[in-house]
Amino acid sequence: MSEITPSKYHVYKTTEKIMIDGNLEESVWLTTPSTEPFFNQWPLETGKAKIKTEVKITFNDTYLYFSFKTYQDKANTTTLSLKRDSAEANWLSDSVIILLDPINRKSNGFIFGVNSGSAQFEGLLSAQGGHTNTDSNWDNKWYSSAKVYENFWTAEIAIPFKSLRFNSTNKVWGVNFVRADMQNNHFSTWSKVPINFDAQDMGYFGEMTFEELPKSKTSNISLIPYSAINHITDNETGTNNATNIDFGGDAKIALSSSLNLDLTLNPDFSNVDVDQQVINLTRFDIFFPERRNFFLENSDLFTSFGTSGISPFFSRRIGLDDSGKPITIIGGARLTGNLIESLRVGILNVQTDRDNMFLPNNYFVGAFQKNIFGRSTIKGLLTNRVSTSKRDNDPYSYNRTAGLETEYLSNNGFLSVKGIFHKSFTNGNTADDDTFLGGHFSYNNGKIITSAGFYRVGQGYQSDLGFVPRLNHFNAETELPEKIGFWRLNPQISYLFRPKVKSWFNQQSIRLASFISNGLGRGKMDREFSLEYNALLSSTGFFLIGVKHIGINLFTPTRLIDSNIFLPIGQYKFMEAYFNYTTDLRKDFRSGTNLTYGSFYTGTKLSLTQSLEYRFAPWINFGVNYSFNNVQLGDTYGQEKLHLIIPKFEVNFANNLFWTTFSQYNSQSDSVNINSRIQWRYNSMCDFFIVYSDNYDGNFINQNRGVVLKLTYWLNI
């Protein structure tokens, strides 16, 4: 494929006051030139977009302004939700999206989006492994408004320069715009992006050049205090009707236009979404994503190390126990940003308090990412956990890891090659094999996608701030964990078919994948080989069918479904077939079905996951997810029927007022959980929360109950 020429735009300064109301009546919008026509990106990448989108840009000393005029071939817009930061509101609704790379190094940036119902979406972009990842948990102050007319709709956006990190000597920023036309399931971009990449891919950003440099602010400090009232009844510990009042908050300090210091004191995460439970029929722990805001901003600096299932840093190891219950955090600091254009740095330090059986600990994480040879990088990570108190005459415990990784990424993004080396240091650890190393490559030319990774984790490798579940095997007979080093290899290849004209399918593919792992000095551990066909439908639906051969060698007696019965050490081989279908995601009623059946260890397993959802768009959304597992291991090893039911009810009263109720019944953990949250954004980035939670055992005997009232305020100094 020939090189794609990036689009370019010159930005001129304005002295006119702009009202963010979506009307586009200011004279500056009448005289400012619009961007060139957009290119088709999905489901066809050839030619200019048939439906016109106009973007205009201007700025003053305080704000960067954008106006969008998006024409339509139908009278109505598709607006599925008014909720901020939701996929339904942005990627599944008619929306416009701004992608910014102020440093213009194609390594990290920002995303801002608004749909035709004025619902906002923002996040952070980071280039990893030939892809651009989006972290939608980042929040900051910016302003927008949308207005719908008969055959077009408009959006007006003002982003404060205070909310961005940029080099104040750099006149040229990377930028792209995405138009989501969900009536036609069509995406277009201002700067052309090949179809084999996501529309937000940073490697294909255009450029905008400022008439003069945006002024760097001499003072850029934000204070975000909170107050919270908690009323808790805990029948498990006998704490009845305890009421607490907490105060704390965060501070954001811009040390320069591209380097930020974040501070937190007595942070409160009571308003964070609860984890969605799963039925676990594997031998290892399940990964749950980080949801706490303090650990999310610029998190790619710390979390992009390692690979899937082998993470040297996992922020949920700080301030949470293994079951997800909070451990008191006294405070923390995070320094992130660019020292120079080609060098990003991150430093994180958090202190936890003594909490029941947990000693106080200090957690330190340092990382750097240096751009070399265009889009390629070299990066390093250092983690340190040390107890700040000790029991009796025991030494202060500590665990440290250090690692280097390098990644080559071709200029067109087709080829990525990565190398990894990490080492751990732990007091009392006498094992010599304490390294984690590996390599990975991937290639994607739009028709063929192939990748392979080889990774080796020594038995002595330990990362108290990481997540490496395959290293730990629980012995059901002795009730003790055993560490077993391993290596793993996971090659895969896919071939994609895309129609040249509009059809029922936007994309079809055949995928062959394998996963092979061995215990170091123990022989075979796991073998998986799968073949599957999947199709993305023009209606936004999805279809997949596949078969998988699985071989597992149990090194320890393993409990799967019954607390009193475990499978013995030995090799097990089984086959399964699976099917997945999701209906049109834009419709008021949608459903998804995932069915798996096959042999399973000494018997069989039938797994069914069914989701049903109905919307009174964009105001009300009601859905239920049901998972059923029928595991039959024979008379010797038991049988079990496991159920997980998750109903969810969501009301969007307006763009700034949401009510979500989320319930879970899990027969595997024998528990019922209810979480109900009202969020009122009474001012920009200022929130009032009411959160109710209720937890029962399988006999519906209440374990604990809580109500939280929390008020936050964002103050710029």
Side-chain angles (χ1 to χ4, degrees):
M1 179 180 288
S2 60
E3 291 290 331
I4 295 175
T5 303
S7 300
K8 299 180 184 296
Y9 186 92
H10 288 272
V11 187
Y12 297 96
K13 190 174 183 179
T14 183
T15 57
E16 183 177 3
K17 183 177 180 181
I18 298 178
M19 183 71 67
I20 304 301
D21 54 13
N23 287 320
L24 309 186
E25 294 177 342
E26 291 82 4
S27 61
V28 65
W29 295 136
L30 301 177
T31 58
T32 298
S34 63
T35 57
E36 295 293 321
F38 279 39
F39 292 92
N40 291 317
Q41 204 275 330
W42 175 266
L44 300 174
E45 66 172 338
T46 56
K48 299 292 182 69
K50 179 181 177 182
I51 303 177
K52 191 176 181 181
T53 304
E54 295 178 348
V55 185
K56 298 181 179 182
I57 315 170
T58 188
F59 75 101
N60 59 23
D61 290 338
T62 306
Y63 294 101
L64 181 59
Y65 294 101
F66 300 87
S67 74
F68 290 82
K69 190 173 184 179
T70 59
Y71 294 87
Q72 301 179 136
D73 59 358
K74 299 178 183 178
N76 298 322
T77 59
T78 300
T79 308
L80 299 188
S81 176
L82 302 177
K83 189 174 182 180
R84 183 187 181 96
D85 289 339
S86 69
E88 289 83 0
N90 293 276
W91 295 107
L92 293 176
S93 298
D94 285 345
S95 60
V96 291
I97 294 154
I98 301 167
L99 307 165
L100 289 176
D101 177 9
I103 307 298
N104 202 23
R105 299 293 300 189
K106 304 183 185 301
S107 59
N108 62 292
F110 303 88
I111 178 171
F112 299 90
V114 62
N115 73 6
S116 52
S118 293
Q120 288 186 334
F121 167 85
E122 76 268 83
L124 297 176
L125 301 174
S126 60
Q128 299 175 26
H131 302 279
T132 296
N133 293 338
T134 301
D135 180 0
S136 60
N137 294 289
W138 176 75
D139 286 321
N140 217 314
K141 275 197 172 187
W142 61 289
Y143 308 91
S144 66
S145 182
K147 193 169 184 178
V148 179
Y149 297 86
E150 184 175 353
N151 63 344
F152 66 91
W153 65 277
T154 63
E156 206 167 13
I157 295 172
I159 302 174
F161 284 110
K162 281 188 174 185
S163 298
L164 302 172
R165 295 180 300 277
F166 61 95
N167 187 332
S168 58
T169 65
N170 181 25
K171 280 189 175 184
V172 182
W173 290 17
V175 65
N176 207 354
F177 307 105
V178 183
R179 161 84 183 276
D181 174 15
M182 292 312 299
Q183 295 187 60
N184 299 296
N185 189 20
H186 176 266
F187 289 83
S188 57
T189 59
W190 169 63
S191 190
K192 186 173 178 60
V193 180
I195 196 171
N196 48 312
F197 296 98
D198 293 332
Q200 67 267 30
D201 191 273
M202 300 184 70
Y204 292 89
F205 276 17
E207 294 179 349
M208 65 178 186
T209 303
F210 288 89
E211 174 191 19
E212 61 181 74
L213 293 171
K215 289 186 177 179
S216 180
K217 301 298 179 181
T218 56
S219 175
N220 192 346
I221 300 175
S222 298
L223 301 179
I224 314 167
Y226 81 85
S227 60
I229 301 175
N230 303 270
H231 183 79
I232 300 172
T233 300
D234 192 337
N235 294 314
E236 289 183 295
T237 62
T239 304
N240 293 315
N241 299 320
T243 301
N244 300 304
I245 300 177
D246 286 329
F247 298 93
D250 299 338
K252 295 179 176 291
I253 304 169
L255 302 181
S256 71
S257 57
S258 59
L259 193 64
N260 290 308
L261 175 64
D262 292 85
L263 305 173
T264 188
L265 179 65
N266 190 31
D268 174 83
F269 305 112
S270 58
N271 57 291
V272 173
D273 287 338
V274 297
D275 292 323
Q276 181 168 318
Q277 296 186 24
V278 296
I279 293 176
N280 186 6
L281 293 174
T282 73
R283 300 116 68 200
F284 307 114
D285 292 337
I286 297 294
F287 179 91
F288 290 101
E290 177 63 85
R291 301 180 185 274
R292 298 168 296 171
N293 285 337
F294 179 76
F295 296 99
L296 291 170
E297 185 171 351
N298 272 323
S299 61
D300 69 285
L301 264 169
F302 309 107
T303 61
S304 63
F305 292 85
T307 186
S308 175
I310 310 174
S311 301
F313 175 70
F314 180 42
S315 58
R316 284 178 64 112
R317 298 298 189 200
I318 304 174
L320 294 172
D321 66 14
D322 291 339
S323 64
K325 293 182 179 179
I327 299 170
T328 302
I329 295 176
I330 298 174
R334 182 184 63 237
L335 177 69
T336 55
N338 286 72
L339 288 180
I340 57 176
E341 280 192 10
S342 62
L343 178 61
R344 292 178 73 201
V345 296
I347 297 174
L348 173 69
N349 191 273
V350 176
Q351 179 67 46
T352 59
D353 201 358
R354 184 182 297 272
D355 204 328
N356 296 324
M357 62 179 292
F358 298 100
L359 292 175
N361 277 273
N362 182 264
Y363 301 87
F364 173 87
V365 188
F368 76 87
Q369 178 178 308
K370 179 73 169 64
N371 283 83
I372 55 174
F373 310 127
R375 301 180 65 189
S376 302
T377 58
I378 182 170
K379 56 187 180 180
L381 177 73
L382 175 66
T383 71
N384 181 53
R385 179 208 57 81
V386 59
S387 296
T388 52
S389 180
K390 60 182 179 179
R391 293 186 177 95
D392 301 327
N393 295 320
D394 292 341
Y396 291 97
S397 69
Y398 68 84
N399 169 254
R400 298 166 187 140
T401 69
L404 283 175
E405 300 186 6
T406 183
E407 180 179 12
Y408 166 78
L409 182 61
S410 62
N411 287 331
N412 61 12
F414 286 16
L415 176 65
S416 170
V417 181
K418 185 177 183 179
I420 297 171
F421 179 81
H422 290 258
K423 183 177 176 62
S424 67
F425 310 86
T426 308
N427 67 315
N429 188 353
T430 58
D432 294 329
D433 198 356
D434 54 6
T435 60
F436 155 45
L437 55 87
H440 179 271
F441 93 92
S442 64
Y443 178 77
N444 178 359
N445 68 1
K447 290 186 177 180
I448 297 176
I449 302 175
T450 183
S451 66
F454 176 84
Y455 308 97
R456 183 186 184 280
V457 180
Q459 180 178 340
Y461 178 78
Q462 179 177 332
S463 178
D464 289 357
L465 274 72
F467 183 77
V468 192
R470 188 169 292 274
L471 191 60
N472 300 296
H473 298 246
F474 185 78
N475 189 318
E477 191 171 30
T478 64
E479 298 290 330
L480 295 173
E482 293 184 21
K483 290 187 68 176
I484 300 175
F486 65 92
W487 63 257
R488 85 177 202 206
L489 176 68
N490 52 319
Q492 59 178 310
I493 187 170
S494 300
Y495 188 82
L496 280 64
F497 309 85
R498 295 190 181 93
K500 295 183 179 180
V501 296
K502 190 172 182 179
S503 71
W504 285 3
F505 302 98
N506 282 340
Q507 178 180 289
Q508 302 175 73
S509 68
I510 301 291
R511 177 175 177 265
L512 179 65
S514 61
F515 179 96
I516 303 168
S517 68
N518 267 33
L520 298 181
R522 306 287 289 270
K524 294 180 181 179
M525 182 184 291
D526 292 285
R527 300 288 189 273
E528 288 187 10
F529 302 94
S530 61
L531 175 65
E532 63 185 37
Y533 161 82
N534 69 70
L536 302 178
L537 308 181
S538 59
S539 65
T540 75
F542 175 81
F543 174 84
L544 179 148
I545 187 168
V547 293
K548 182 182 292 186
H549 172 77
I550 303 170
I552 294 178
N553 188 8
L554 296 182
F555 294 143
T556 61
T558 302
R559 182 183 301 119
L560 289 178
I561 59 173
D562 193 309
S563 60
N564 298 314
I565 303 174
F566 50 82
L567 293 171
I569 294 172
Q571 295 190 27
Y572 301 83
K573 295 181 180 180
F574 41 96
M575 293 281 297
E576 66 180 30
Y578 50 94
F579 165 81
N580 189 349
Y581 175 67
T582 302
T583 62
D584 192 334
L585 301 177
R586 302 167 299 179
K587 300 297 185 182
D588 289 338
F589 175 79
R590 64 182 183 180
S591 67
T593 303
N594 194 331
L595 179 65
T596 302
Y597 179 76
S599 51
F600 187 66
Y601 290 97
T602 59
T604 62
K605 181 185 70 170
L606 169 67
S607 297
L608 170 67
T609 299
Q610 180 68 54
S611 65
L612 300 172
E613 188 174 340
Y614 191 81
R615 280 189 295 253
F616 297 92
W619 314 104
I620 298 175
N621 184 11
F622 173 76
V624 60
N625 288 342
Y626 171 62
S627 295
F628 170 71
N629 281 267
N630 185 359
V631 183
Q632 302 291 329
L633 299 181
D635 295 336
T636 303
Y637 301 112
Q639 49 272 328
E640 188 72 70
K641 294 180 180 180
L642 302 170
H643 305 269
L644 175 61
I645 305 173
I646 307 177
K648 185 176 182 179
F649 182 70
E650 182 178 281
V651 181
N652 305 310
F653 298 101
N655 292 121
N656 62 344
L657 183 59
F658 321 109
W659 175 32
T660 302
T661 297
F662 186 79
S663 304
Q664 301 183 93
Y665 165 68
N666 190 339
S667 66
Q668 187 178 40
S669 61
D670 201 26
S671 63
V672 178
N673 313 115
I674 301 171
N675 183 271
S676 187
R677 183 180 68 171
I678 295 175
Q679 178 184 0
W680 173 35
R681 178 147 287 185
Y682 61 91
N683 204 343
S684 180
M685 296 303 297
C686 304
D687 294 292
F688 176 67
F689 296 94
I690 302 176
V691 183
Y692 172 81
S693 59
D694 215 347
N695 300 289
Y696 300 84
D697 64 16
N699 296 316
F700 287 92
I701 298 175
N702 184 260
Q703 302 297 298
N704 53 74
R705 177 180 294 129
V707 179
V708 178
L709 278 69
K710 182 178 178 181
L711 182 71
T712 69
Y713 186 77
W714 186 297
L715 175 65
N716 285 333
I717 299 177

